[in-house]
Amino acid sequence: MLSMAKKKLEADTKDAARDTALLHSMLLQRRFEERTAEAYALGKIGGFCHLYIGQEAVSTGTLSMLRPDDYVITTYRDHGQAIARGMTPRAVMAELFGRQDGCVRGKGGSMHMFDANTNFLGGHGIVGGHVPLATGVGFAIKYRGGDQCIVCFMGESVVNTGAFHEALNMAALWKLPCVFIIENNRYGMGTSLERASAIHDIYERGAAYNMARQQCDGQDVFAVRAAVGEAVERARKEQHPTLLEIRTYRFMGHSMSDAVSGTYRTKAELEEYMKRDPITLLRQRMEANGTLTEEHLRAMDAEIKAVVQDAWDFADASPELPLEALYEDVYADTTT
Amino acid sequence: MPVITYRDALGAAIREEMQRDDRVFLMGEEVAVYQGAYKVSKGFLQEFGEMRVVDTPITELGFAGVGVGAAMVGLRPVIEFMTWNFALLAIDQVVNAAAKMLYMSGGQFKIPIVFRGPNGAALQLSAQHSQAWESWLAHIPGLKVIAPGTPYDAKGLLKSAIRDDNPVCFLEGEMLYNTKGEVPDEDYTIPIGKADLKREGDHCSIITHGKMVLVAMQAADQLAKEGIRLDVVDLRTIRPMDVEAITASVHKTNRAVVLEEGWEVCGVGAQVVDYIQRDCFDSLDAPVLRVHQADVPMPYAKGLERAAKPDLPKTIAAVRKVMYLD
Ligand SMILES: Cc1ncc(C[n+]2csc(CCOP(=O)(O)OP(=O)(O)O)c2C)c(N)n1
Ligand SMILES: [Mg+2]
């Protein structure tokens, strides 16, 4: 029998360990993407490249509630989620560099991270296109039996697409274990939510399908965990889908080719939102709880920076693809 | 003559047509407040107001259909797709509604609409964002399909497209927007369905369109140094295709290379080669060769992407082969 005091201490340490892991995950994404921007400027990364900076509490909070056998699917803004899901910074950076050791062997780049090992079903480039796929994964889970779930991340612009509505209707109609997560960062490129959607509390879109729905603060990793936890439980136990609107903000431009602020949002607005940096919020909370010291944070940051540097070096050293690779994987080999 | 960019030539065409005819309006993602994803409609919102320059949600199927509906009752929409890759979501409205409305309604409802936006690959945008759709679109009776390669052609043809009483798919190129050329200030149009002989030569024909016109011209310049004279036929319009221009060129040169950005199988080039074999069989001194994208989805990695795309070296190699020089 443990004494009450010891029990409490154990719970606290456990929380401290958990909070440290959350902070680590978020800081890793942040540092990774800062270097991503640097590599892009140096021409090591090309094409479209959408950073996740500012939204890390959504990926970390959500994915910390999943089991390894659950599934995840997302949009082109996928680096942070890939890393939070446990894909290695090496594999993600090598993909950004378009090299052989990238998670999809240099075929996809920034927008198309996939990893079968972590059930990461891809970053997808067509707005709304992946939402029905999530319903399909939910269908397969139910078909096979079991209590897995699928988390589908999407931007708030997606709620205006037809694919979203078709997918949600089927998920609700057939009671599938899908957790649809809208990362409402207020803008789709240069268009604010208010200029694109007839209703502004977009989680209410779920009402049309009688789907469980909720809105939560996406800068607070614990608020995200609580909301996602409930949704995941509903998916596992009742096989019911949920629509979550997680309110967040992107601190960078839509992609590397866009200005951070400009015609569609003011610098003042951006600065206001940056006051609620999800990493700062968690750090402050941990400091107040006494679970994080300045020294500890510095050590963590140094370790993370080294990991990211290692990912960069690894990506830089990874070979270019041989030309034969061009014709590989167009069709699956069905010979037995 | 003023020298302007392809982007500004397109902008000028739409602006002039909007000034000329108040039934013409522009609708699409980011066309108004953001001034155009590729800045084609810079200043439009300020000049024409939000009823005529309309930002849409990301809902291609929906706003393409809105355009078709508005056209049925007398407006003349210009519908911008941020790229043609996203137009796939709207293809039902383009093919099942716009293209056949006149026919299905026994000639009662014409659809004067332009669907436009960048087509084909830019740089390292990988598989979902790097596709050339002209052969798909040109397959459809009821559609007209235009792919200009120069600022002059872009302006003249876009004005014709807007004035045309049929649905027109207008394919631009992200890599073309910054290219420059002479474009007159005054009003002019270029007839839809007329090719343009961009370079005259008697050794070999290159038949091409859109972005690949630039590659063909480079090939012509380079081969001229070896004394090889290319006849560069710029189709400009894919449907209806200017068959006479193709066959006249091949009758003259007796050899042809067909160059396009898209994939080989059932591509535009296959149609061109069919016209050539029907009309020029006895004139040909060599099999016609085609240059096109490798038969794969576009990869991200720089080296692979380069290998996948049709380009100058591949075009020159094809010409040399057709001329039995290699
Ligand atoms: C069907 C389609 N139309 C347009 C685009 C171009 N596009 C890419 S991202 C984007 C904005 C999406 O915004 P949102 O869903 O809010 O996600 P966020 O980028 O904010 O994460 C647009 C218009 C696209 N990829 N797919
Ligand atoms: Mg958004």
Side-chain angles (χ1 to χ4, degrees):
Chain A
M1 265 296 256
L2 295 168
S3 75
M4 286 298 284
K6 197 163 173 208
K7 233 181 188 166
K8 183 169 184 310
L9 186 70
E10 216 175 54
D12 280 346
T13 346
K14 214 176 136 222
D15 278 357
R18 181 200 64 196
D19 295 357
T20 305
L22 295 173
L23 184 66
H24 190 277
S25 164
M26 287 162 64
L27 196 57
L28 176 58
Q29 293 169 66
R30 178 69 57 91
R31 296 291 181 235
F32 183 91
E33 291 222 302
E34 287 166 355
R35 297 304 302 280
T36 298
E38 189 186 328
Y40 195 91
L42 291 173
K44 289 180 180 294
I45 299 171
F48 288 143
C49 181
H50 310 80
L51 299 185
Y52 195 66
I53 292 177
Q55 305 183 202
E56 295 93 340
V58 184
S59 53
T60 294
T62 301
L63 298 173
S64 66
M65 301 309 286
L66 295 193
R67 294 194 316 233
D69 66 335
D70 291 326
Y71 295 97
V72 180
I73 193 164
T74 189
T75 69
Y76 46 84
R77 199 178 295 287
D78 57 356
H79 319 157
Q81 291 153 355
I83 288 170
R85 181 57 178 165
M87 288 170 62
T88 66
R90 281 183 165 197
V92 178
M93 193 64 91
E95 187 53 41
L96 290 168
F97 281 36
R99 302 297 174 85
Q100 183 136 12
D101 297 296
C103 59
V104 297
R105 301 186 59 220
K107 290 281 181 74
S110 167
M111 297 189 286
H112 306 302
M113 303 290 170
F114 287 77
D115 180 36
N117 287 327
T118 52
N119 283 352
F120 196 81
L121 304 181
H124 296 264
I126 304 300
V127 169
H130 68 299
V131 187
L133 309 189
T135 299
V137 174
F139 180 85
I141 292 170
K142 186 163 184 167
Y143 189 95
R144 292 187 312 220
D147 67 345
Q148 293 157 287
C149 68
I150 163 102
V151 161
C152 175
F153 291 103
M154 69 194 89
E156 83 291 338
S157 303
V158 171
V159 306
N160 304 315
T161 69
F164 170 85
H165 291 278
E166 297 180 25
L168 259 69
N169 180 51
M170 286 185 280
L173 176 68
W174 295 329
K175 299 194 175 33
L176 303 177
C178 306
V179 180
F180 298 104
I181 294 188
I182 304 164
E183 292 197 67
N184 180 0
N185 61 11
R186 308 223 23 224
Y187 296 94
M189 278 186 76
T191 303
S192 68
L193 165 69
E194 293 74 21
R195 295 184 56 244
S197 173
I199 63 169
H200 302 162
D201 282 323
I202 49 177
Y203 69 102
E204 284 298 353
R205 300 269 192 166
Y209 310 107
N210 199 19
M211 189 181 289
R213 56 199 178 274
Q214 195 186 332
Q215 194 175 49
C216 84
D217 177 7
Q219 303 312 88
D220 175 354
V221 71
F222 297 105
V224 174
R225 279 171 55 87
V228 172
E230 254 181 63
V232 166
E233 176 115 339
R234 185 176 297 120
R236 291 206 203 293
K237 298 217 165 120
E238 304 163 39
Q239 296 215 312
H240 275 294
T242 303
L243 178 64
L244 289 180
E245 176 193 346
I246 303 188
R247 296 203 150 184
T248 181
Y249 200 80
R250 76 170 143 70
F251 292 175
M252 310 298 284
H254 167 72
S255 76
M256 288 304 294
S257 25
D258 285 298
V260 177
S261 58
T263 48
Y264 67 95
R265 69 178 185 189
T266 62
K267 204 156 164 265
E269 178 189 303
L270 176 66
E271 279 164 3
E272 197 51 39
Y273 274 96
M274 284 176 81
K275 288 182 190 154
R276 297 197 70 240
D277 184 318
I279 296 178
T280 311
L281 293 187
L282 175 59
R283 200 196 49 176
Q284 285 168 347
R285 179 173 163 146
M286 288 175 71
E287 280 166 359
N289 287 349
T291 49
L292 182 74
T293 62
E294 184 76 41
E295 205 186 334
H296 187 176
L297 179 64
R298 219 176 304 121
M300 182 192 286
D301 200 24
E303 179 261 326
I304 285 174
K305 282 179 172 162
V307 166
V308 176
Q309 182 62 49
D310 168 73
W312 177 304
D313 294 340
F314 174 82
D316 229 6
S318 175
E320 303 272 356
L321 280 99
L323 284 185
E324 306 89 78
L326 184 59
Y327 290 95
E328 288 166 7
D329 297 323
V330 178
Y331 294 99
D333 185 1
T334 52
T335 53
T336 44
Chain B
M1 219 187 282
V3 172
I4 65 171
T5 60
Y6 188 99
R7 174 197 330 273
D8 290 341
L10 295 169
I14 306 169
R15 173 181 281 118
E16 287 171 23
E17 292 308 300
M18 286 178 73
Q19 288 164 345
R20 187 176 164 270
D21 182 345
D22 61 14
R23 295 169 300 173
V24 178
F25 66 93
L26 177 66
M27 178 177 271
E29 291 158 15
E30 310 287 2
V31 297
V33 172
Y34 199 73
Q35 309 282 297
Y38 295 101
K39 305 293 176 243
V40 169
S41 52
K42 197 161 182 217
F44 276 42
L45 176 64
Q46 290 70 16
E47 181 174 349
F48 298 106
E50 58 187 22
M51 207 60 219
R52 297 187 69 196
V53 187
V54 188
D55 276 332
T56 64
I58 303 173
T59 169
E60 286 81 4
L61 173 78
F63 68 76
V66 167
V68 177
M72 283 183 82
V73 294
L75 299 188
R76 303 183 75 86
V78 176
I79 300 294
E80 175 171 314
F81 293 122
M82 195 175 283
T83 82
W84 274 94
N85 300 288
F86 314 142
L88 290 203
L89 287 144
I91 212 71
D92 175 59
Q93 297 295 354
V94 176
V95 173
N96 277 326
K100 21 187 102 39
M101 197 71 74
L102 186 69
Y103 196 81
M104 286 194 307
S105 68
Q108 297 181 78
F109 289 98
K110 61 182 187 187
I111 308 295
I113 194 170
V114 175
F115 299 107
R116 50 161 288 271
N119 175 60
L123 285 174
Q124 284 198 277
L125 302 187
S126 67
Q128 291 182 324
H129 285 76
S130 313
Q131 305 172 92
W133 294 116
E134 53 268 44
S135 67
W136 268 46
L137 297 164
H139 195 57
I140 310 298
L143 295 181
K144 295 186 179 182
V145 182
I146 299 175
T150 66
Y152 178 84
D153 290 342
K155 182 174 174 189
L157 280 162
L158 185 50
K159 287 170 77 86
S160 294
I162 294 171
R163 292 182 199 181
D164 200 287
D165 275 345
N166 294 285
V168 179
C169 297
F170 199 89
L171 309 171
E172 303 157 12
E174 196 183 326
M175 306 300 284
L176 284 172
Y177 285 141
N178 284 333
T179 60
K180 289 188 174 167
E182 290 189 337
V183 177
D185 272 332
E186 65 267 24
D187 183 41
Y188 70 97
T189 58
I190 293 173
I192 295 172
K194 272 265 160 271
D196 183 40
L197 195 58
K198 285 271 184 312
R199 179 72 59 92
E200 241 191 292
D202 51 359
H203 288 150
C204 176
S205 304
I206 290 199
I207 298 132
T208 189
H209 63 271
K211 210 179 294 173
M212 290 299 118
V213 171
L214 304 185
V215 175
M217 295 304 282
Q218 284 169 1
D221 286 342
Q222 193 151 321
L223 288 166
K225 291 180 199 147
E226 300 172 35
I228 299 169
R229 298 186 295 269
L230 293 185
D231 213 40
V232 179
V233 179
D234 174 3
L235 292 172
R236 300 196 294 197
T237 302
I238 313 301
R239 184 189 185 101
M241 201 179 279
D242 188 348
V243 183
E244 231 164 81
I246 298 169
T247 55
S249 173
V250 178
H251 280 307
K252 176 173 64 182
T253 63
N254 313 113
R255 300 168 198 272
V257 168
V258 189
L259 166 64
E260 69 185 300
E261 199 187 349
W263 291 296
E264 174 180 23
V265 179
C266 304
V268 171
Q271 186 60 40
V272 173
V273 170
D274 177 56
Y275 288 135
I276 293 174
Q277 67 82 21
R278 276 195 255 171
D279 287 354
C280 312
F281 189 79
D282 291 326
S283 297
L284 285 176
D285 285 344
V288 179
L289 289 185
R290 293 176 58 195
V291 182
H292 44 74
Q293 189 192 316
D295 194 21
V296 299
M298 190 65 85
Y300 165 73
K302 217 183 247 171
L304 292 192
E305 187 189 42
R306 199 180 306 121
K309 284 174 165 177
D311 61 6
L312 182 61
K314 287 171 197 160
T315 305
I316 287 179
V319 171
R320 297 184 65 86
K321 200 160 175 202
V322 160
M323 296 192 62
Y324 298 133
L325 292 171
D326 285 332

